[in-house]
């Protein structure tokens, strides 16, 4: 029996970044790119991290659309140290709900992917890649002429990498 899983897919020109959908409470389209360190959502001031530029510079890719999407996640999925780093980085405390926002400026969709398509990073470079936020990689054959790279992101490690300022 094949194993499938649900992912939130951030589509760039050559790469689909995958985030386990269980971490994303919901996503909404926003009118314009938001690069502020906080945002008001449902009458709460949320810490906000713009992930788009970081992904583009780190992975040498470009967004496919000028579509601005904000995801709402909850701090309970992150360890206490990372929660504190987010508060310092954004200079905004978590509201009572514990929610925070991530945003990108590219196409976003939901995907069900056969987990056999994703492979763990080779052991020799695994710890460095995991520290950068990459959990697994794979390829998806879009057409006979080109394959798309699939990169499964660890949400906590990609945030740590961004906060550290790694480029």
């Amino acid at each position: 029996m094949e194993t499938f899983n649900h992912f939130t897919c951030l589509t760039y020109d050559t790469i689909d970044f995958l985030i386990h959908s269980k971490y994303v409470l919901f996503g909404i389209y926003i009118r314009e790119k938001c690069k502020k360190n906080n945002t008001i959502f449902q009458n709460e001031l949320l810490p906000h991290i713009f992930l788009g530029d970081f992904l583009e510079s780190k992975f040498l890719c470009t967004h496919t659309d000028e579509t601005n999407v904000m995801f709402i996640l909850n701090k309970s999925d992150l360890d206490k140290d990372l929660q504190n780093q987010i508060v310092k980085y954004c200079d905004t405390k978590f509201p009572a709900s514990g929610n925070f926002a991530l945003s990108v400026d590219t196409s976003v969709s939901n995907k069900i992917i056969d987990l056999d398509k994703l492979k763990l990073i080779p052991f020799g470079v695994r710890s460095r890649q995991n520290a950068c936020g990459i959990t697994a990689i794979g390829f998806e054959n879009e057409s006979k002429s080109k394959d798309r790279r699939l990169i499964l992101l660890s949400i906590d490690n990609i945030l740590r990498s961004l906060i550290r300022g790694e480029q």
Side-chain angles (χ1 to χ4, degrees):
M1 185 168 129
E2 293 180 310
T3 305
F4 292 94
N5 211 338
H6 295 264
F7 296 94
T8 299
C9 177
L10 315 176
T11 303
Y12 285 80
D13 59 344
T14 58
I15 303 171
D16 285 344
F17 293 102
L18 306 172
I19 299 171
H20 280 282
S21 291
K22 68 180 182 178
Y23 296 114
V24 179
L25 300 176
F26 54 91
I28 57 171
Y29 288 98
I30 52 179
R31 289 190 181 130
E32 55 192 48
K33 188 184 291 189
C34 181
K35 290 190 176 186
K36 298 182 298 184
N37 288 343
N38 60 56
T39 190
I40 295 175
F41 181 74
Q42 292 188 339
N43 298 321
E44 290 186 317
L45 184 66
L46 305 180
H48 173 256
I49 297 175
F50 179 69
L51 194 57
D53 290 345
F54 180 74
L55 292 174
E56 289 183 30
S57 67
K58 187 166 195 69
F59 295 96
L60 304 175
C61 59
T62 57
H63 54 273
T64 57
D65 290 323
E66 288 292 333
T67 304
N68 301 305
V69 179
M70 182 170 62
F71 300 106
I72 305 300
L73 296 89
N74 195 278
K75 72 176 186 175
S76 64
D77 292 321
L78 309 173
D79 65 42
K80 292 283 186 201
D81 180 53
L82 181 55
Q83 291 175 26
N84 293 334
Q85 290 176 34
I86 290 171
V87 167
K88 287 179 188 173
Y89 180 81
C90 295
D91 197 27
T92 305
K93 293 182 180 181
F94 290 101
S97 66
N99 293 337
F100 67 101
L102 288 180
S103 65
V104 293
D105 57 348
T106 194
S107 294
V108 176
S109 62
N110 286 317
K111 278 193 173 189
I112 297 174
I113 296 189
D114 184 349
L115 293 179
D116 289 338
K117 286 186 177 182
L118 299 173
K119 305 295 181 208
L120 291 175
I121 304 293
F123 187 73
V125 296
R126 185 176 299 162
S127 64
R128 174 67 181 130
Q129 295 304 307
N130 281 339
C132 293
I134 302 171
T135 302
I137 57 173
F139 293 95
E140 187 171 56
N141 192 344
E142 231 181 40
S143 68
K144 291 182 180 182
S145 61
K146 70 177 186 178
D147 285 331
R148 292 192 57 74
R149 291 179 284 168
L150 302 172
I151 297 179
L152 177 60
L153 295 177
S154 161
I155 201 68
D156 53 345
N157 288 343
I158 198 74
L159 288 173
R160 278 188 187 91
S161 185
L162 182 146
I163 290 169
R164 281 192 305 262
E166 293 182 359
Q167 295 296 325

